Amino acid sequence: MISTGMYLTKLLEAYGVDTVFGIPGVHTVELYRGLAGSSIRHVTPRHEQGAGFMADGYARASGKPGVCFIITGPGMTNIVTAMGQAYGDSVPMLVISTVNQHGRMGSGEGWLHELPNQQALVSQVSAFSYTVNRPEELSMALARAFAVFDSERPRPVHIELPINVMLAPADHLPVPHKVVRLKRPSGDAAAIGDAVALLNSAKAPVVLVGGGAARAASEVRAVVEALDAPLIAATNGRGILPPEHPLNIALSPCCPSSRKLVESADVVLAVGTEFGPTDYDMYEDGGFSIPGKLIRIDIDPTQIMRTRAPEIGIVADSASALSLISGGLTPARRDGAARVAAARKEGAADLTPAMIGDLKILAKVRDTLENVLFVGDSTQLVYAGNLGFASGGPVSYFNSATGYGTLGYGLPAAIGAKLGAPERPVVALVGDGGLQFSVSELASATEAKVPVIMMLHNNNGYGEIKSYMVSQNIPPLGVDIYTPDLEAIGKAYGWQTEVVAHFADLPAALERAAKNDGPTMLLFGDELRNEAMAA
């Protein structure tokens, strides 16, 4: 007999799923009957939140949905935080869980892992949550999930299988040899034409990009160069232009110099960006504004009408719409490089010496490891990077310090990213405080033989929060935490560990780490950061 749980594996294979993150439990073991012997690799995290973060990193690095198998009840409450981060950053994640069988579901009788309404809980951090009540419903539920991933704003989807449905026979159900996959729209032709006309008439255009444009780098570049327009990227849009490109300002829209460029623009083209405050108004001073005419390209029609309504709105895939727009543009010189150079020079004053030192560290890593992918937690290097780091290419820099803003993300998300892009060096940027949220995932990397590199900044506490409390004249309570011997912990978990005491030693340490077959922990403290400031 083929159970519905076994049938699920065959459907996932048909959709090209190659990796699943999960922790087997008594309510999910039937899912593993089909997984064993399949083409899908299973990776075991040490906590369901870690499973979600791994799926998030995998999805961002690979461009494919990250998939999790999660148990009823506590497994779902554990993964909700990771789903919240993915929801905020528009990351495709498929969370498949069990739920108590019909007759016990939400009964209040106290069955194992029972929740009053598991679907209601998860629906707050998912595009939709669906209960499969009959085996025949499973294939359509998955089809709906992949329709979200392929053609809408990608966000987590939750599908739950009541235990009696998971165990039910599915021999009568067909396994598709080919599944239907949808595509995103290219945009309304009239709106595209209006956008082309407005851009051709612009005297001082500026282009803003977010994560929705990250996989449209060549199309963005073609438009930016034809317009001779400065490019300003939100965190998830970094690297769309190379660091040395004369139109790449590489400063956050939170910085005064970037804002002045936007304020002086007569036309602003915004692509795949929601104008989220953590990217555009991090200091919550209300200083970001667009006085000129605005064109917005986004896959989400409701997002186009949030924050700042545009003169022209285009519901479309970024790459498709930009390709059509670039074909109609008349290249012209608009002093874009000169405007960027002036903004870069002025922008140096927007950053503190400590931030500039942190940016030097990130640049040293970027220039040492070819095609490196940075995955960051909420930590000081990341905060500086979000303000002014020019990553080496698209989909090369992402973190949890914007939007939902979780801690404990960096390590598990980097593990997932390395599994999603095994050919690239992956560097996790983590602080000692954030690491202790997910320190057990050190074991996951060792067990799965994932050669990720973690740069671990140890300042014995929550340094960024401590600095903020001091700046607000608040006694720094609760931020000087006990920090164990992290080097010893790394070794106990099977990681290669090295203390990097000096900035000059960093390139050689990175090169050694890149040659390791397993994971490597590079520990550094404030001394290295101070040396980077002075360099």
Side-chain angles (χ1 to χ4, degrees):
M1 183 193 81
I2 297 178
S3 69
T4 304
M6 298 169 68
Y7 180 59
L8 171 65
T9 297
K10 296 181 181 295
L11 290 175
L12 292 176
E13 286 181 310
Y15 279 98
V17 173
D18 57 24
T19 305
V20 165
F21 303 93
I23 302 173
V26 67
H27 280 185
T28 58
V29 290
E30 186 63 28
L31 299 180
Y32 286 81
R33 190 188 304 276
L35 202 60
S38 74
S39 61
I40 299 174
R41 178 180 184 178
H42 182 269
V43 176
T44 308
R46 296 304 183 264
H47 191 281
E48 286 88 359
Q49 181 173 282
F53 287 151
M54 288 181 192
D56 179 305
Y58 172 91
R60 298 198 206 208
S62 69
K64 301 189 294 185
V67 181
C68 301
F69 282 178
I70 302 297
I71 65 162
T72 321
M76 288 309 304
T77 55
N78 282 344
I79 201 174
V80 162
T81 294
M83 293 177 71
Q85 185 70 45
Y87 186 91
D89 283 352
S90 303
V91 175
M93 181 188 297
L94 178 58
V95 178
I96 297 172
S97 81
T98 48
V99 68
N100 292 96
Q101 68 186 52
H102 291 106
R104 297 179 180 180
M105 193 189 311
S107 69
E109 295 175 352
W111 295 100
L112 178 65
H113 301 331
E114 183 182 341
L115 280 171
N117 190 334
Q118 180 170 280
Q119 188 180 76
L121 170 77
V122 184
S123 65
Q124 301 302 303
V125 288
S126 58
F128 70 85
S129 175
Y130 185 78
T131 304
V132 177
N133 290 305
R134 300 178 299 117
E136 291 79 8
E137 297 176 8
L138 180 58
S139 62
M140 289 307 298
L142 282 178
R144 284 181 59 201
F146 279 86
V148 170
F149 304 147
D150 292 342
S151 63
E152 297 182 15
R153 182 176 186 171
R155 277 177 159 161
V157 168
H158 170 235
I159 296 174
E160 62 180 13
L161 292 168
I163 293 171
N164 58 307
V165 175
M166 177 183 64
L167 296 171
D171 305 77
H172 61 294
L173 298 177
V175 178
H177 297 292
K178 184 178 180 181
V179 292
V180 176
R181 304 294 291 268
L182 302 180
K183 294 184 178 180
R184 293 181 171 88
S186 299
D188 175 71
I192 294 286
D194 291 343
V196 168
L198 184 56
L199 290 168
N200 278 332
S201 69
K203 304 298 182 185
V206 167
V207 178
L208 304 174
V209 292
R215 298 190 181 275
S218 60
E219 291 83 1
V220 171
R221 183 168 184 166
V223 168
V224 166
E225 290 179 346
L227 292 174
D228 193 18
L231 180 78
I232 301 172
T235 298
N236 289 325
R238 295 293 171 84
I240 285 177
L241 288 183
E244 69 280 359
H245 196 287
L247 295 174
N248 182 14
I249 185 173
L251 288 170
S252 164
C254 293
C255 295
S257 52
S258 296
R259 290 177 168 185
K260 286 182 180 179
L261 270 179
V262 176
E263 290 168 3
S264 65
D266 57 343
V267 179
V268 172
L269 172 62
V271 187
T273 180
E274 64 179 4
F275 292 140
T278 53
D279 270 309
Y280 287 82
D281 193 17
M282 185 179 72
Y283 300 110
E284 298 186 14
D285 57 13
F288 179 82
S289 65
I290 302 176
K293 294 183 177 180
L294 175 63
I295 304 166
R296 293 189 74 170
I297 300 172
D298 203 289
I299 193 61
D300 184 349
T302 63
Q303 195 62 49
I304 289 177
M305 295 304 175
R306 286 194 179 108
T307 309
R308 163 68 157 86
E311 278 68 31
I312 300 172
I314 302 172
V315 181
D317 170 71
S318 296
S320 299
L322 289 171
S323 180
L324 293 172
I325 287 173
S326 65
L329 293 177
T330 302
R333 298 190 64 178
R334 296 179 173 92
D335 297 321
R339 287 189 287 153
V340 168
R344 284 178 180 171
K345 184 176 180 180
E346 185 178 344
D350 299 340
L351 306 173
T352 66
M355 290 174 182
I356 292 172
D358 288 342
L359 292 176
K360 289 179 181 178
I361 293 173
L362 295 176
K364 186 66 71 175
V365 179
R366 178 198 66 205
D367 297 340
T368 301
L369 301 177
E370 185 178 358
N371 199 26
V372 63
L373 170 55
F374 293 89
V375 182
D377 216 322
S378 292
T379 189
Q380 287 177 316
L381 279 180
V382 168
Y383 292 128
N386 288 356
L387 285 174
F389 180 55
S391 58
V395 195
S396 289
Y397 179 86
F398 59 81
N399 56 72
S400 63
T402 61
Y404 198 57
T406 61
L407 264 173
Y409 172 90
L411 169 60
I415 294 170
K418 184 64 178 177
L419 290 167
E423 73 286 355
R424 301 182 66 179
V426 174
V427 173
L429 304 173
V430 182
D432 60 287
L435 175 64
Q436 293 182 73
F437 276 62
S438 53
V439 67
S440 58
E441 302 305 349
L442 292 168
S444 305
T446 301
E447 181 178 82
K449 298 180 174 60
V450 183
V452 68
I453 302 169
M454 179 167 60
M455 289 185 59
L456 178 55
H457 177 206
N458 184 8
N459 57 11
N460 297 297
Y462 301 124
E464 187 69 20
I465 300 302
K466 181 176 182 178
S467 297
Y468 181 74
M469 293 176 79
V470 170
S471 72
Q472 300 298 308
N473 296 315
I474 299 171
L477 180 66
V479 289
D480 294 313
I481 61 174
Y482 172 75
T483 302
D485 187 337
L486 297 172
E487 184 178 8
I489 287 175
K491 290 178 179 178
Y493 275 113
W495 283 55
Q496 294 288 326
T497 62
E498 181 176 348
V499 176
V500 185
H502 302 289
F503 182 57
D505 298 334
L506 182 57
L510 289 165
E511 289 170 354
R512 286 191 292 271
K515 294 176 182 177
N516 287 338
D517 294 331
T520 303
M521 177 188 294
L522 301 180
L523 295 104
F524 69 97
D526 286 338
E527 181 181 4
L528 186 147
R529 295 178 72 228
N530 293 336
E531 289 182 2
M533 273 189 273

